[in-house]
Amino acid sequence: MSIFWQVPQYFLIGCAEVFTFIGQLEFFYEQAPDAMRSMCSALALTTVALGNYLSSLLVTIVTKVSTRHGKLGWIPDNLNHGHLHYFFWLLAILSVLNLGAFLVISKWYTYKRPVGTLR
């Protein structure tokens, strides 16, 4: 199996990041106070960078844990001999947990009323 089988997934992730970033900017410009808009834009970019660092950390942790006691591990150099599907299941579980956290936090959020609207 070739590593190039992951190209479509990375393409989809790249597209998702673009659309997510646009949504974050729109949200910050509508909901943040005027004085904090540029800081919120910087925060949006910082979250992407921190997410990439967290992703690298996750791969490092999974590799260290799964290669204990001389095992081949989940992500070996030759993907035909590893268990990469375990890693993707781990990512799916973490994504579901992230969705749950998002839903809980989004229930608590109250939107800022647009200027000029009456209640």
Side-chain angles (χ1 to χ4, degrees), residues 1-61:
M1 178 180 285
S2 172
I3 192 71
F4 291 108
W5 280 102
Q6 292 184 353
V7 169
Q9 289 89 339
Y10 279 105
F11 176 76
L12 289 174
I13 291 294
C15 291
E17 283 185 3
V18 167
F19 289 120
T20 300
F21 182 70
I22 292 170
Q24 283 178 336
L25 284 179
E26 287 290 324
F27 177 77
F28 287 143
Y29 272 98
E30 288 178 7
Q31 298 298 313
D34 292 340
M36 291 188 63
R37 287 186 178 164
S38 61
M39 182 162 172
C40 289
S41 297
L43 178 64
L45 290 171
T46 304
T47 59
V48 172
L50 290 176
N52 288 330
Y53 282 120
L54 185 62
S55 176
S56 298
L57 179 66
L58 182 65
V59 169
T60 303
I61 291 171

Side-chain angles (χ1 to χ4, degrees), residues 8-115:
Q9 289 89 339
Y10 279 105
F11 176 76
L12 289 174
I13 291 294
C15 291
E17 283 185 3
V18 167
F19 289 120
T20 300
F21 182 70
I22 292 170
Q24 283 178 336
L25 284 179
E26 287 290 324
F27 177 77
F28 287 143
Y29 272 98
E30 288 178 7
Q31 298 298 313
D34 292 340
M36 291 188 63
R37 287 186 178 164
S38 61
M39 182 162 172
C40 289
S41 297
L43 178 64
L45 290 171
T46 304
T47 59
V48 172
L50 290 176
N52 288 330
Y53 282 120
L54 185 62
S55 176
S56 298
L57 179 66
L58 182 65
V59 169
T60 303
I61 291 171
V62 165
T63 301
K64 285 191 178 203
V65 169
S66 66
T67 57
R68 283 188 193 165
H69 309 296
K71 292 182 184 176
L72 193 56
W74 291 3
I75 312 171
D77 291 335
N78 186 346
L79 294 178
N80 292 325
H81 298 137
H83 295 285
L84 191 60
H85 59 284
Y86 292 162
F87 181 69
F88 285 119
W89 277 112
L90 175 66
L91 291 179
I93 290 167
L94 290 174
S95 295
V96 168
L97 292 174
N98 188 26
L99 175 65
F102 170 78
L103 291 175
V104 168
I105 292 170
S106 67
K107 287 286 187 186
W108 292 337
Y109 184 77
T110 54
Y111 282 96
K112 177 176 137 182
R113 286 186 293 150
V115 177

